[in-house]
Amino acid sequence: MRHPFNLTRSDRRAVLVLMAIAFVCLSGIVLFGTQQSPGATPLATDSAHVSPSSPVTPHSAASYERQPFDPNTVDSATLVRMGISPRRVHTFMRYRSAGARFSRPEDIMRCYSFSDQDIDLLLPLVRIAPRYRDSDNFTRTKYPLPSSSSTPTASPSTTHAITHGNKFTTLTEVDINTADTALLRRIPGIGEAIASMIINLREKFGGFTSLSQLSQIHQISPELYQWFTLADTVPYRRIPINEASFKTLVTHPYVTKDQANAILHYIRIYGPIKDIATLRATAIFTPDQLTSLEPYLQF
């Protein structure tokens, strides 16, 4: 019988190859093995503490926790979970600790660290607790506003309210169909961005027929409506429905692409639309839609 260690040359070569492979595998385990076992639990971190230099793991939009909040009491961790960057949250917390109080949702726009996208996200979610509403106790102790050398005084002949920092300090009604951006920006809670949105929306409509049309601008809360008024004599820009092109029709906020195509198709088949009753009979618009659109139509 052949002795087990009396190997041929090819057998010895195979054994050496296997030993070399085993040595490489063992070396890899020793050199590159993880120092932490798979079942180890990482140390917990204090998620409530946020600083400008704190690293934040990127989240998808779906992972953010969108929830109503009161800017007077919300904590920094909640704002970060809603998708606001830690740096901006840190600035907001400093702003609030300096004495800021928020009595209306639009007051958060006074914190200039928030971007337009942040305001778009946060403003619809703001809920002010009753104890903070209708209060005007905002004082900046650490970051005071620039002081003016002279304070304007009211006179019996003037029709404008006294302003501080070019903002109205008393309720003043502004005609939304004639006001320019400079006048709109004097309303507390309205800055350059929202004033431009109002002007652009007014141009699309051809003039406002109702203050409820402002609801298309999500950054404007209903509390701001009290600053606006509508004059009865403003002529609205009308759409010549029988001559209008597809582009002209769909430019108006109350006309969809399908409705514009339906109007053009009806005119090609049946001829001009003579009046509002004819348009109502086509059933292209619902009764409510037609009521809103009627002031802008010309037959």
Side-chain angles (χ1 to χ4, degrees), residues 126-182:
V126 175
R127 304 292 185 270
I128 304 297
R131 67 179 182 273
Y132 295 111
R133 296 175 188 166
D134 302 324
S135 64
D136 191 17
N137 57 352
F138 171 67
T139 56
R140 272 180 141 166
T141 57
K142 296 182 180 178
Y143 314 103
L145 294 170
S147 58
S148 176
S149 58
S150 61
T151 302
T153 57
S155 64
S157 60
T158 183
T159 58
H160 295 286
I162 301 175
T163 63
H164 176 72
N166 205 35
K167 291 287 187 181
F168 292 119
T169 58
T170 59
L171 183 61
T172 304
E173 290 188 341
V174 174
D175 187 348
I176 197 171
N177 275 323
T178 59
D180 57 13
T181 54

